[in-house]
């Protein structure tokens, strides 16, 4: 079965600091990868996704993620965070052998101090 | 407005009392799914449906049932709820797993 690990459960940063959130998955074949964000009191929203092609994917609000197949990773990055980025971030994977099942990581709660 | 709606938003019930959480989408999406969100565990998929009358188990289907009789609706049924089903539940829809999932507002369920 596919699994997704997000090693940072809680991250606290000051505004303008750089952000990198880790995401590792277990499946070695074809994968579709996603990052979702949940702002306080709001629905989950898609930040970005990777299916194929350029492994560096750009999403909304200045976020980007890099797919490194050899490391089974899809880390999320932002060069300079803002207070409004305070939220919970979820990595998700749809693996080729899992049909239409989507597996989420445990989430990373980010707090940005003004 | 494109949206996924869930009802009720909050529910407190007792062990063993059957309940249904409704989910409806107005985007003509084929793919719908249910998740539960628990602290530290992220979202875990309960069931998903690729189309009318087509449903399949996710990671944590035990204790839940679903049905997909119409494209827009995907209710979640707890025949005999137990306290370990206390959680925040999200319904989502999309064109398929290759596309963005649109999430509902969530249903906070407490089983005593």
């Amino acid at each position: 079965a596919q699994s997704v690990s997000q090693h940072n459960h809680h991250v606290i940063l000051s505004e303008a600091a750089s952000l990198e959130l880790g995401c590792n998955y277990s499946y070695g074949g074809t994968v579709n990868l996603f990052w979702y964000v949940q702002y306080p009191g709001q629905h989950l929203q898609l930040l970005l996704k990777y299916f194929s092609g350029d492994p560096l994917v750009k999403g909304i609000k200045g976020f980007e993620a890099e797919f490194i197949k050899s490391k089974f990773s899809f880390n999320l990055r932002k060069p300079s965070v803002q207070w409004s980025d305070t939220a919970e971030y979820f990595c998700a994977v749809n693996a080729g052998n899992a049909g239409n099942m989507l597996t989420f990581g445990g989430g990373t709660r980010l707090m940005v101090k003004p | 407005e494109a949206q996924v709606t869930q009802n009720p938003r909050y529910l407190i019930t007792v062990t063993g009392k059957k309940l249904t959480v409704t989910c409806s989408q107005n985007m003509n999406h084929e793919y719908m799914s249910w998740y539960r969100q628990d602290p530290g565990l992220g979202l875990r998929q309960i069931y998903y449906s690729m189309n009318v009358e087509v449903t399949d188990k996710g990671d944590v289907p035990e204790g839940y049932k679903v049905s997909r009789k119409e494209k827009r609706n995907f209710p979640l049924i707890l025949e005999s709820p137990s306290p370990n089903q206390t959680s925040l539940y999200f319904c989502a829809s999309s064109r398929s797993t290759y596309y963005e999932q649109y999430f509902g507002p969530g249903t906070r369920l407490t089983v005593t």
Side-chain angles (χ1 to χ4, degrees), chain A residues 41-108:
Chain A
Q42 294 189 26
H43 306 185
L44 278 87
Q45 309 170 31
L46 181 70
L47 271 180
L48 48 80
K49 61 186 178 187
Y50 171 81
F51 293 152
S52 63
D54 189 343
L56 185 61
V57 179
K58 295 199 183 297
I60 61 171
K61 305 189 181 188
F63 286 92
E64 64 179 30
E66 185 174 13
F67 170 53
I68 303 179
K69 189 172 182 178
S70 61
K71 294 185 178 180
F72 301 94
S73 70
F74 189 56
N75 292 354
L76 181 71
R77 299 195 292 246
K78 186 171 184 178
S80 176
V81 295
Q82 302 172 313
W83 175 78
S84 57
D85 294 323
T86 294
E88 190 159 16
Y89 293 80
F90 296 94
C91 181
V93 174
N94 168 240
N97 70 341
N100 294 292
M101 212 164 79
L102 191 61
T103 300
F104 281 78
T108 297

Side-chain angles (χ1 to χ4, degrees), chain B residues 5 7 14 20-21 45 47 50 53 57 64 67 72 80 85 97 104-105 108:
Chain B
T5 56
N7 283 292
V14 296
T20 299
V21 183
Q45 196 170 37
Y47 270 96
M50 290 304 298
E53 304 291 3
K57 296 177 181 178
Y64 304 94
S67 70
R72 62 183 292 124
S80 183
Q85 293 177 298
T97 48
R108 189 166 292 281

Side-chain angles (χ1 to χ4, degrees), chain A residues 1-4 26-32 93-103, chain B residues 31 45 48 50 56-59 97-98:
Chain A
Q2 59 188 12
S3 66
V4 181
S26 62
Y27 181 64
T30 303
V31 288
N32 302 312
V93 174
N94 168 240
N97 70 341
N100 294 292
M101 212 164 79
L102 191 61
T103 300
Chain B
Y31 183 88
Q45 196 170 37
Y48 61 92
M50 290 304 298
D56 210 343
K57 296 177 181 178
D59 283 321
T97 48
Y98 298 106

Side-chain angles (χ1 to χ4, degrees), chain B residues 28-48:
Chain B
N28 202 36
H29 285 161
E30 291 176 344
Y31 183 88
M32 296 185 74
S33 59
W34 276 102
Y35 300 87
R36 59 178 290 173
Q37 183 179 13
D38 302 288
L41 297 177
L43 279 81
R44 292 179 292 168
Q45 196 170 37
I46 302 170
Y47 270 96
Y48 61 92

Side-chain angles (χ1 to χ4, degrees), chain B residues 18-96:
Chain B
K18 180 180 178 180
L19 66 91
T20 299
V21 183
T22 64
C23 173
S24 182
Q25 50 97 1
N26 63 0
M27 295 168 277
N28 202 36
H29 285 161
E30 291 176 344
Y31 183 88
M32 296 185 74
S33 59
W34 276 102
Y35 300 87
R36 59 178 290 173
Q37 183 179 13
D38 302 288
L41 297 177
L43 279 81
R44 292 179 292 168
Q45 196 170 37
I46 302 170
Y47 270 96
Y48 61 92
S49 168
M50 290 304 298
N51 213 325
V52 174
E53 304 291 3
V54 181
T55 63
D56 210 343
K57 296 177 181 178
D59 283 321
V60 289
E62 295 77 21
Y64 304 94
K65 283 176 56 177
V66 293
S67 70
R68 188 95 181 270
K69 293 183 169 40
E70 303 168 283
K71 197 171 187 179
R72 62 183 292 124
N73 296 324
F74 191 45
L76 179 70
I77 303 157
L78 284 72
E79 295 269 3
S80 183
S82 62
N84 64 12
Q85 293 177 298
T86 292
S87 188
L88 179 59
Y89 291 87
F90 288 99
C91 180
S93 76
S94 71
R95 290 164 63 183
S96 80

